[in-house]
Amino acid sequence: VDPLDDFGSANLAASNLLIDLAVDRKKATLNTILTFVNGVLTNYSQSPEEARNPRAKDGALSMMSSLCGSLCSRKSPVYDTLPSFLLTHVIPEFNSKHGFLRARALDTYCRYSSIEFPDAQINRGILESVLGLLNDTELPVRVHAALALQPMIEDDNIRDLIASHLPHVMQVFLNLTNEIDSDTITHVIEEFVEVFADRMSPFAVQLGQQLCDTFMRVMGEVSASTSQDLDSFDMDDTSDKTMAAMGVLKTMGTLVLNLESSPEVVYKLEEVVFPVVRYVLDQRMVDLYDEVYEILDCCMFAVKAVSPNAWNL
């Protein structure tokens, strides 16, 4: 999910080489690259199912995902064909029997989410498919389905449809934060909290409690890591968990701030989140001070008062 996590991989190096070829040697290479990709995709779609090579299609979609920056430009020579590309070669793989192709299709769709379809019903159908994939048996598919929802909330019509599924969607997001330590997921949660602020009150306290539970779990794993022998200590893993913890705390602050119109809910939320703030201060986790001070500030701003709990802190 995070390119920095794969910084040393051959896959990322190949993708970067492909991008450099397509951008810096565009006239000499772009048509050749697109012809190759189109040949792989066409061969896949026209072959009998038993003769198809799903790994080849995964690679072709990966190439298209890498080139999205160039191809999504309105000056792109294939810009007008991108809706057809998505409908013919990407969206159908949401139902692939191969988990890695479902995940790849979601990722590719997400990267080309700025492309508009001529029929609004298409977007509705895509949303229904993505919502279904939030319950997929494979973790990477669930993660990419969550990320695919993020650009959808920019569409007014789709946003209203997502709102009707909000409790389930938020629960899936929270479950994901307990399965992987990724500040990318917490950023999606934070954006949903901002967009659907007026609908958060009914389950804000529950959301706050689950965020706190996630934070304490991550901190427990950080503590366990730092107590290991130096030979087995993984600083990168600890750094990832610290970033995930920061993301959780930022989401808490955003949640509180967007409940300004419901001070009674904020008071209840204080009871839930302030023990986490106190934990950070007691443990002198300086890297997280900014985030916990922000939570405290948001609480006082939302209720326009300094509660006894806030005074204690």
Side-chain angles (χ1 to χ4, degrees):
V1 173
D2 182 355
L4 293 178
D5 290 341
D6 290 330
F7 195 73
S9 76
N11 184 68
L12 186 66
S15 297
N16 288 337
L17 174 59
L18 181 69
I19 293 168
D20 289 343
L21 285 169
V23 173
D24 298 333
R25 297 289 183 267
K26 183 176 180 179
K27 291 182 179 179
T29 65
L30 186 59
N31 283 337
T32 302
I33 292 169
L34 293 177
T35 298
F36 171 77
V37 171
N38 186 61
V40 173
L41 295 176
T42 301
N43 180 63
Y44 183 90
S45 62
Q46 293 180 352
S47 298
E49 187 168 350
E50 64 276 7
R52 292 176 175 176
N53 182 356
R55 294 176 67 88
K57 179 158 191 180
D58 178 71
L61 292 183
S62 178
M63 292 174 72
M64 288 297 290
S65 295
S66 298
L67 298 175
C68 66
S70 299
L71 301 183
C72 281
S73 166
R74 291 189 179 273
K75 295 181 180 180
S76 162
V78 296
Y79 181 82
D80 292 337
T81 68
L82 290 178
S84 175
F85 156 70
L86 291 170
L87 291 172
T88 303
H89 300 295
V90 179
I91 308 301
E93 297 303 335
F94 287 178
N95 298 315
S96 171
K97 64 181 182 181
H98 304 286
F100 67 88
L101 263 185
R102 298 197 296 276
R104 177 70 68 192
L106 284 163
D107 179 54
T108 306
Y109 165 75
C110 193
R111 292 171 187 253
Y112 286 90
S113 58
S114 62
I115 301 301
E116 297 180 358
F117 295 105
D119 186 353
Q121 286 299 117
I122 294 175
N123 287 325
R124 291 172 179 265
I126 292 173
L127 173 62
E128 290 178 4
S129 295
V130 173
L131 288 172
L133 290 171
L134 287 175
N135 301 316
D136 198 89
T137 56
E138 301 290 344
L139 175 60
V141 179
R142 297 197 298 276
V143 170
H144 282 291
L147 298 180
L149 283 178
Q150 188 176 17
M152 291 185 177
I153 58 179
E154 298 176 8
D155 185 317
D156 292 341
N157 296 322
I158 297 299
R159 188 186 305 131
D160 291 338
L161 290 174
I162 294 175
S164 63
H165 297 275
L166 197 56
H168 172 65
V169 169
M170 295 303 294
Q171 186 60 58
V172 171
F173 286 172
L174 289 168
N175 291 342
L176 287 174
T177 64
N178 284 319
E179 292 184 86
I180 62 169
D181 297 320
S182 170
D183 59 326
T184 306
I185 294 296
T186 50
H187 178 68
V188 175
I189 296 175
E190 186 177 7
E191 192 163 327
F192 266 68
V193 168
E194 290 178 348
V195 170
F196 298 106
D198 58 331
R199 299 173 184 264
M200 285 291 161
S201 294
F203 48 94
V205 176
Q206 179 188 2
L207 176 58
Q209 182 61 64
Q210 289 181 285
L211 288 169
C212 290
D213 292 344
T214 298
F215 175 84
M216 295 307 296
R217 177 187 60 79
V218 172
M219 286 295 96
E221 292 173 0
V222 170
S223 178
S225 296
T226 53
S227 65
Q228 293 174 0
D229 294 336
L230 289 177
D231 290 342
S232 60
F233 181 62
D234 188 342
M235 180 62 75
D236 290 338
D237 185 52
T238 303
S239 177
D240 288 345
K241 292 183 185 300
T242 302
M243 290 300 295
M246 282 183 180
V248 171
L249 292 175
K250 287 178 181 177
T251 304
M252 287 184 197
T254 302
L255 177 62
V256 173
L257 193 60
N258 283 284
L259 291 168
E260 183 186 0
S261 60
S262 307
E264 69 285 352
V265 178
V266 176
Y267 280 123
K268 293 178 182 178
L269 205 51
E270 281 187 353
E271 299 283 346
V272 171
V273 303
F274 277 2
V276 163
V277 177
R278 179 174 292 281
Y279 174 82
V280 172
L281 298 175
D282 286 345
Q283 299 296 320
R284 291 179 166 77
M285 296 177 176
V286 180
D287 289 345
L288 302 177
Y289 275 11
D290 193 33
E291 285 73 25
V292 296
Y293 287 149
E294 185 74 17
I295 291 173
L296 185 57
D297 180 46
C298 289
C299 286
M300 292 188 291
F301 177 81
V303 301
K304 305 297 186 288
V306 183
S307 70
N309 285 325
W311 272 119
N312 287 334
L313 287 174

